Structures are given as C-alpha cells and as structure tokens.
Amino acid sequence: MTSREDIPMILKFELNQQELAALSLTEGEEVLYAVPYDCDLSGKYVKNGFTVVTNKRLVLLQNAVKEKEYDLSAYDAVKAEPRINCGVLYAVKDGQDYLIVRYSAKHLARYAYVARGIALLKSGSTERAESEEYEKTCFVCGRALPGTKDCPHCNRKSRGVFFQIVQLLGSYKKQLIPIIALMVTRAIIGLFSPELQKYLVDEILYSGEKKYLAAMLVLVAMFLVGIGIALVDIGKSYGCAKLGSTIGKDLRSKLYNKIQMLSLSYIHEKRPGALMNRIMHDTGRIRMFMEHVFCNMFTVVIMFVAVVIYMLVLNWKLALISFIFVPIAAVVSMLWRKNIHRRFRLQGKKSDDVHSALQDVISGMNVVKGYGKEQDESDKFNGFSDVFANVQTKNEVFWAMFFPLLNFLMGAGVYLVIFYGGRSVLGETMTAGEVMQFVSYTSMLYMYLGWINNLPRQLMDLVTSMERINDIMTQEPKIRNTEKACKPEITGAIEFKNATFGYHSYEPVVEGVNLKVKPGEMIGFVGASGAGKSTLINLIMHLYDVDDGELIVDGENIKDIDIDYYHSKIGVVLQETFLFSGTIFNNIRYAKPDATEEEVIMAAKMANAHDFITRMPDGYNTYVGEKGSRLSGGERQRIAIARAILNNPKILILDEATASLDTESEYLIQTALERLTSGKTTFAIAHRLSTLKNADRLVVIDKHRIAEMGSHDELMASKGIYYGLVTAQLEMQAKKEEATA
C-alpha cells in the first residue's frame, strides 16, 4: 500500500552517480537537501533540474551538469517566496536580492522547507528541516492524491475491493454467520425452482395423462418454495439492515472519537462541512451498501456460478450460445470502471462543498443578517448546489444510459436460447421442459449478471466512502502521550528554552523564545496582531509542540506529561466564549463532570454570575442555545469564568477575556478574574493594555521574538515598543472622548 503517511514530503531526492560526480563534493561536505526545479529563470519548463544544498554550498544541476553554485557563507540569507503560479528562491546580500532558481507551484512548500533548512544551517544549528506535510502526488504512480491519505489507485490495486470489504466486516463475525447461511439457503432454494418447472412440463403437462394430484403436489411445492424464498429474504434483509445500522453507528462513533483525538493542525486543515459529511454521509453510504447490496452478494455469486455449471451440464452447446454476450458486457463494464470511480469521487467532493457552505452560513447567520447579505449568500450557496446538481445529474444520466445498454446486451442471449432451444425441441433432441428450464436458468444468469454489472457503481460508492473514512482513521495525532508520560505535581512553573514554532515548520511564528515563569506569577503578552501572542498561549495549552527548543512545566518536558492530566490543570477564558447547546448548569460543570450542585453555585458566585442566573425563569436549568446565543456577551463570559473556577486550575489562560464588553460587564468580569487568578500562574493577552497593569511581568512580542520584558512601570520608563503601544492607545482614547464630548 502506498500511503502519504509513508512518504512525507521529500527534501532529499536520491541523486544518481553522474549528478553526485557533478557536485564535486569536498572533504567534510555532505548533501543536506536535494529538490527538483522545473522552470528556468524566464519561467519556461525544464526537465531534470536539481537544487542541491550541502553544508557549504548551494548548487544547481541541469541534466547532471553543474549550472551554478553559491557559497552560502557569502550571503546574509536565502529565502523562498511564492509568486503567481510559481515560486522563487533568492539570496540576500547587503540588502540586495539575487535570484537563484524558479520552480512551479507544486514545489512551493518543498522550497520553503529548504529555505528554513538553510537558515538553520547559517545559524549554526545542527537541526535539519523536516517536513510534516505529505506529497501532493502519489510517490509510486504519480497521480494527484484526491484529498485522501492513501493513493486510491495504488491502494485499490494492491489490496482490492474484496479485501476492503473483508477488513470492514472482520469485527462482525457473529452477525455475519447467520446472514451468510441465509444467503446460501436462498441460493439453493432458488436453484431448485426451475427443476420443478421442468418436471411439471415434461412429466405432467406433456405426459398425455391426467395427473391432477401430481400437478397439485408440484404446484404446492412451487408455492412452498416461493414462501421459503420470501421468508429467507425477510430474514436476510432484517439481518443485513441490523448489521448495516450497527456498522454505520460504530463507524460514526469511531470517526467522532478519532476526530476528537486528532491535533488541531489537522482539524484546521479540513472544512467543517467535509468532516461532517464523512461522519454522516459516508457512513450512511456504507450502511446502505450493507442493507441493499451485501444482503444479496453471496446469493448472487453462488447462484451465478451454480447456474453456469448447471447449464453446461444440461447442454453445453446451448450454454455456450447463451454466454456469447457475457464477455462483451464484462469488457464494457471493466472499461468504464475507472470512469465511474472518478465520477462518483467528484460527486462526493462537490457534496462536501455544499455541506461546508451550508455549515458556514448557518454558523455565521448573525453576520449575514447584520450586513444584509442573505441574497448574496443564497446566490453563493445556489452556485455550489448547482455545481453539485450538475455533477449528480451527469452521473445519473450516464448510469441511466450505461445500465440499459448492458441489460440489452445480456438480454439478447435469452432470445438466442429460445431460438436454438426451440429448434432442438422440434428436432426432438430436447424436451419442452428442458428448454423451459434452460430459459429460466438463462434468465436467472442474465438477471444476476445485470446485478453484478450494477455492482461497480455500488462498489465505487463504498470504496470512495471507505477511502474518505480511512483518511481520518489512519491519521495519527501529532500531540499524543509518549511511552514515558508522567503526572507530576503541577504548580505552574513554566519555562521556554530557545523555543521555536510555526504552524508550518518552515515558517516560524515565534523564534528563539526564552522565558522562565514562577508559580503564581502573572504574565501579560503584548504585541501587534500576528506577532505570536496567541501562538505562545497555544503552546502553553499543549495544543501544539514546539519545533525546536523545549517547553518545561514543573521540571518536565511538556511532551512527557500525560495530556489529559495536564489539561485538567488548566483553566481557559477566551474572548470568543464557546458555550455548548444545553443548560447553564451543564456548561459550568463541563470542566468537572462530577462537580456537585454546591460547587457549581459557588463557582458561579465567584464569577459574579449567580445573580443573573437566578433571575432567569429556569435558573441554572436555563437553556443557553447554540454557542450560548440566548445570553449576552458579558453573561457568556462570566459563565466561562465559572467553568474555569470550578476546576481550580493551576495554570490560567486569559485571551482577550474582557474585550468588546460594556463598562459594567467589564467591571464584574475583572473582579471575578481577580478572584480566579489569585495564586495561579496566569498568562493573559488583553486588547486594552491598561488591564495588564497589575501583571507581574509584561512580555512584548515583536517580529516573532521577545523584544522587551518587565513590569508596566519599567517598560514605560524605557520608552520602547510597549511605551509606544500604550501612548498610541491613550491618544486614540482621548480622540474618542473629544469626539463624543
């Protein structure tokens, strides 16, 4: 199996002997990165180009010939930059840019990592840039990966659909055995029916005698066979419906649990509608397959094989005549199999677009209505819906034409059997009953062949859904417990040691951060938007791991601390307070599910939330609506503070906790926060810098690094970056007061 998990983005392609010879490596020189380029400096497409980085030089190779080389020590930096439909790598020296190489858009991320690696090399670090992304095309077949983790072509080629079905059903053996037994029984009973028809025609109707009793017995037997088939079908359908529902439920649970375990980086890469579609729609398609396709699969296969054998035994010449159109139908079906797969994979992708658009609009309905953009959003959604409908219509029209064509090809065999069978009856080489029996078997053969020819569509639906589900199930969370995960006593002592992190490792958001925080200390993060304040908060919350350096919590590397245990020691109050759809009581108790009613009320009182809660008709049982939509911003914020207080955290995160609130709400929340932060290690980000005056230390982030550090008074006295920010806010506030005066 070829998996993107097995082939992270390659930063060091293997060079052949000619290319290595062209490098002329000196003693102590080694190749660190070797990546292809496919454009010349004018933008024209070229082949067999490589950019090779050693620990001393950057060399351009073209067809195993050295084109140019650059001494890395002679330049201040080497940077990668995206352009329109391409990217460039350039060197910087004394403020001047020197273009090195141009490459197509598919190599943008690859060269960004290489540029990061060169920066590490020039800084004296022994670390090598390592990609956390995966190749956009399959390493084996070269096909583009359609948003899934595995290559559908190579995956299907090596394992096959049958293997995927077996793997899916492996955990349901007890439910499968009786279903398979019923399928086999159904096949046996179905094969017996034409034999009764033959006996009725030859031994009774054409016998020349009035065998009323025998005729009645045969008819009763045929009636009982019909009842038996109906009962078996009912039992089989019930078993498959139950199995399909169970598999669908289990898959939904597994997918939901897996998504909960995956890192934020993966969740943010996916659209919410796409994830919802995989949990609901794709599992639903698998359920439908089990209920409507799998329930007949073994019956059809057994009967198809048995009918072919029986027809050859009865009259091999007539059987071969009836088989004339089978290879034609099979070839036509196989030729269109890949086309069918592509069609329905595209349909699934367009369905994702519709679900994502719908989810976005419903989630942001307040903004839509606030700006009066209902019609614009309707037009946008209708656009996605039209594209989906067009793809779906084309697929259904294609199938409506394709399937009848196959049925026509297969049905033609029945007419040949009737023609040659009738001649055999006239020639007295076959009886009428045998011909009738043979026609019945031929009809059964083509009916089941038609079912089999319809199977590719059902299988493509199944395989496409399984690919999309497996893409999530085979993901591994980047943040997970190590084998030596521990549960140290958390007091709130935190230290950043030369920590560097970027949401893409080649593009650091914070670099070289060194910060030591004592237990119970309050730290305020200050800086311009995008400087890296929230990123530091995310690292402290262990939502991400640092790329370089260390983050130490109470003497332990945060990577070695049990994740659930650590998160139980953290309290979080954010600007955009998220409340779950449910009661106020349950939202407060979310941080501590076993909390008593008295503990919840006490937390609400400390958060200055008890009074407004008790004024509500249902009190603590008041339903807050989705995301707390029935409450005001200040009320939601105080409930969030109560939720944080309830858990008595050792580390507290306040990210713009009082932003965008009225004066009264801000006062109530500030007094609640003072109670909450007492004795706890607190990290705070605030839009209004005046709210951070009481912080023990302020850390000013500028250009992704710590630029200043100290108390409010110390930083104001130094008249640096912080002084400029505070002065600008005071001037802005003064202008607002003048305007309203």
Side-chain angles (χ1 to χ4, degrees):
M1 180 182 68
T2 304
S3 167
R4 289 174 70 182
E5 185 176 16
D6 300 324
I7 48 169
M9 185 174 288
I10 303 170
L11 302 181
K12 187 178 178 181
F13 280 73
E14 186 176 348
L15 302 175
N16 58 39
Q17 292 298 321
Q18 288 180 315
E19 290 164 338
L20 288 172
L23 288 175
S24 303
L25 296 174
T26 60
E27 185 177 354
E29 188 176 16
E30 62 173 320
V31 175
L32 303 181
Y33 311 100
V35 295
Y37 69 87
D38 46 12
C39 301
D40 62 18
L41 295 181
S42 65
K44 293 182 179 179
Y45 178 74
V46 296
K47 293 182 179 180
N48 305 321
F50 275 98
T51 302
V52 182
V53 178
T54 73
N55 52 341
K56 297 179 180 179
R57 300 175 294 157
L58 186 151
V59 182
L60 297 182
L61 299 178
Q62 179 67 43
N63 294 316
V65 176
K66 185 193 299 182
E67 292 288 316
K68 291 181 181 179
E69 69 173 78
Y70 300 83
D71 183 358
L72 294 177
S73 63
Y75 295 91
D76 301 326
V78 175
K79 297 182 179 181
E81 185 176 289
R83 299 285 177 86
I84 300 174
N85 296 325
C86 69
V88 294
L89 189 74
Y90 63 93
V92 181
K93 183 178 180 180
D94 299 330
Q96 293 284 0
D97 296 343
Y98 299 91
L99 186 60
I100 296 175
V101 66
R102 190 184 297 270
Y103 41 86
S104 65
K106 72 177 183 180
H107 293 305
L108 286 175
R110 201 187 311 277
Y111 271 87
Y113 280 110
V114 171
R116 169 68 177 158
I118 294 173
L120 289 170
L121 177 65
K122 290 185 68 62
S123 69
S125 173
T126 58
E127 183 188 1
R128 299 288 180 261
E130 293 182 2
S131 169
E132 296 179 358
E133 300 180 43
Y134 296 98
E135 292 291 343
K136 306 299 182 185
T137 56
C138 176
F139 184 68
V140 174
C141 67
R143 290 175 170 82
L145 294 170
T148 59
K149 189 167 181 287
D150 294 335
C151 173
H153 175 78
C154 297
N155 182 36
R156 186 168 62 253
K157 186 176 180 180
S158 59
R159 295 193 302 178
V161 173
F162 180 74
F163 181 85
Q164 294 183 48
I165 296 174
V166 171
Q167 190 178 42
L168 176 67
L169 299 176
S171 303
Y172 304 92
K173 294 177 182 176
K174 290 183 179 179
Q175 292 173 265
L176 277 174
I177 292 173
I179 293 174
I180 293 174
L182 287 172
M183 290 183 186
V184 174
T185 303
R186 172 65 176 83
I188 293 172
I189 295 175
L191 288 169
F192 185 65
S193 184
E195 191 66 34
L196 289 174
Q197 295 176 8
K198 174 192 171 185
Y199 182 81
L200 178 65
V201 172
D202 286 346
E203 303 299 329
I204 297 176
L205 298 181
Y206 278 79
S207 64
E209 302 177 14
K210 297 180 180 180
K211 299 180 179 180
Y212 296 111
L213 180 60
M216 287 299 297
L217 290 174
V218 172
L219 291 174
V220 168
M222 293 175 68
F223 179 73
L224 292 176
V225 167
I227 292 177
I229 289 174
L231 292 175
V232 171
D233 283 342
I234 290 171
K236 177 165 57 70
S237 298
Y238 172 78
C240 285
K242 187 175 180 181
L243 177 61
S245 297
T246 302
I247 291 175
K249 173 181 70 69
D250 291 347
L251 281 176
R252 283 193 298 272
S253 297
K254 289 178 181 178
L255 275 172
Y256 181 78
N257 293 335
K258 185 69 176 185
I259 288 173
Q260 294 290 318
M261 297 300 295
L262 289 175
S263 305
L264 276 179
S265 56
Y266 177 81
I267 303 298
H268 290 163
E269 287 174 1
K270 300 291 183 181
R271 294 170 299 172
L275 292 175
M276 292 169 61
N277 217 6
R278 296 189 191 201
I279 293 175
M280 299 304 298
H281 182 66
D282 288 318
T283 57
R285 288 204 292 188
I286 291 175
R287 176 186 61 80
M288 294 290 289
F289 178 87
M290 297 307 302
E291 292 180 8
H292 301 292
V293 180
F294 180 78
C295 64
N296 295 311
M297 187 175 291
F298 282 93
T299 299
V300 170
V301 171
I302 292 170
M303 292 197 69
F304 183 80
V305 174
V307 165
V308 169
I309 294 173
Y310 205 66
M311 289 172 68
L312 289 171
V313 171
L314 286 176
N315 190 322
W316 67 270
K317 291 182 179 179
L318 195 57
L320 292 178
I321 291 173
S322 67
F323 296 162
I324 287 176
F325 293 99
V326 173
I328 300 174
V331 169
V332 171
S333 180
M334 288 299 295
L335 289 175
W336 284 93
R337 180 178 61 86
K338 292 182 180 179
N339 181 276
I340 294 170
H341 192 196
R342 283 194 298 270
R343 285 173 176 272
F344 286 96
R345 189 191 298 137
L346 178 62
Q347 183 172 317
K349 184 178 182 301
K350 297 307 178 184
S351 176
D352 282 352
D353 293 341
V354 173
H355 281 76
S356 294
L358 180 61
Q359 195 273 340
D360 286 345
V361 171
I362 292 176
S363 298
M365 189 57 73
N366 289 344
V367 177
V368 174
K369 288 187 173 296
Y371 283 92
K373 296 295 183 181
E374 294 91 340
Q375 187 59 49
D376 290 345
E377 291 299 332
S378 294
D379 293 342
K380 188 187 297 182
F381 178 80
N382 289 337
F384 285 116
S385 186
D386 287 344
V387 172
F388 175 60
N390 289 336
V391 171
Q392 195 174 37
T393 301
K394 288 179 181 178
N395 289 350
E396 295 303 326
V397 169
F398 165 80
W399 198 253
M401 297 173 61
F402 180 71
F403 190 58
L405 175 63
L406 287 179
N407 285 338
F408 172 77
L409 289 173
M410 294 180 295
V414 176
Y415 301 116
L416 289 177
V417 169
I418 294 173
F419 176 75
Y420 287 103
R423 292 186 60 182
S424 298
V425 171
L426 294 175
E428 297 185 352
T429 56
M430 290 181 71
T431 66
E434 288 174 342
V435 172
M436 185 176 180
Q437 179 189 26
F438 209 90
V439 170
S440 296
Y441 280 132
T442 304
S443 299
M444 290 169 62
L445 171 71
Y446 283 105
M447 180 180 68
Y448 294 131
L449 188 60
W451 188 92
I452 292 172
N453 279 324
N454 193 37
L455 188 60
R457 174 178 179 172
Q458 312 295 337
L459 287 177
M460 290 307 105
D461 271 351
L462 173 69
V463 171
T464 301
S465 294
M466 289 178 67
E467 286 172 359
R468 289 157 56 84
I469 289 172
N470 286 335
D471 179 47
I472 294 176
M473 295 303 297
T474 55
Q475 288 286 344
E476 291 296 334
K478 294 178 181 178
I479 307 296
R480 53 183 172 179
N481 285 330
T482 62
E483 294 181 358
K484 56 179 181 179
C486 59
K487 297 181 180 181
E489 182 182 357
I490 302 296
T491 64
I494 293 178
E495 182 178 5
F496 286 91
K497 290 185 176 181
N498 197 33
T500 296
F501 171 79
Y503 296 100
H504 296 290
S505 63
Y506 59 81
E507 189 176 15
V509 178
V510 290
E511 287 189 273
V513 175
N514 289 287
L515 176 64
K516 193 170 185 177
V517 182
K518 299 175 183 177
E521 193 174 8
M522 182 174 181
I523 303 295
F525 289 126
V526 179
S529 178
K533 305 184 298 295
S534 295
T535 297
L536 289 173
I537 293 294
N538 288 337
L539 294 173
I540 294 169
M541 293 171 63
H542 202 195
L543 301 179
Y544 299 90
D545 277 328
V546 295
D547 297 325
D548 192 17
E550 291 180 304
L551 175 54
I552 306 298
V553 178
D554 287 297
E556 297 286 346
N557 191 315
I558 196 171
K559 296 179 181 180
D560 297 328
I561 299 177
D562 183 88
I563 296 172
D564 292 336
Y565 170 77
Y566 179 70
H567 285 160
S568 71
K569 304 298 181 181
I570 297 178
V572 182
V573 182
L574 306 175
Q575 176 184 0
E576 294 295 331
T577 302
F578 186 91
L579 298 183
F580 294 94
S581 181
T583 64
I584 291 175
F585 184 84
N586 287 336
N587 268 285
I588 296 176
R589 200 167 66 167
Y590 185 80
K592 188 180 178 183
D594 58 348
T596 63
E597 185 176 334
E598 290 75 15
E599 289 176 315
V600 172
I601 293 174
M602 182 58 68
K605 287 180 177 178
M606 292 182 68
N608 289 332
H610 180 73
D611 290 342
F612 87 77
I613 293 173
T614 54
R615 286 196 299 267
M616 293 183 170
D618 295 322
Y620 282 85
N621 289 322
T622 299
Y623 179 75
V624 301
E626 187 175 355
K627 297 183 180 180
S629 59
R630 296 188 178 183
L631 304 177
S632 69
E635 289 169 344
R636 289 198 299 269
Q637 202 73 304
R638 279 176 274 172
I639 290 174
I641 293 172
R643 182 166 60 191
I645 290 173
L646 182 65
N647 201 34
N648 190 26
K650 299 298 182 182
I651 301 170
L652 185 62
I653 306 295
L654 305 176
D655 190 351
E656 302 281 10
T658 60
S660 305
L661 296 177
D662 58 81
T663 304
E664 181 182 356
S665 295
E666 183 179 359
Y667 172 75
L668 292 171
I669 289 171
Q670 282 288 8
T671 56
L673 288 175
E674 288 175 6
R675 300 188 191 114
L676 177 58
T677 58
S678 178
K680 298 176 176 63
T681 302
T682 304
F683 296 91
I685 299 174
H687 177 68
R688 288 189 284 269
L689 299 179
S690 58
T691 62
L692 296 177
K693 283 184 178 181
N694 296 327
D696 296 301
R697 278 186 294 166
L698 296 173
V699 177
V700 181
I701 311 296
D702 185 55
K703 296 180 180 179
H704 313 303
R705 297 178 180 272
I706 294 179
E708 298 175 1
M709 190 187 309
S711 67
H712 170 77
D713 293 337
E714 290 171 346
L715 294 179
M716 289 297 290
S718 66
K719 294 189 177 182
I721 297 173
Y722 179 75
Y723 175 84
L725 292 172
V726 172
T727 303
Q729 282 201 0
L730 290 174
E731 290 177 354
M732 187 178 297
Q733 182 64 30
K735 289 180 180 179
K736 286 183 178 179
E737 291 175 357
E738 289 177 6
T740 57

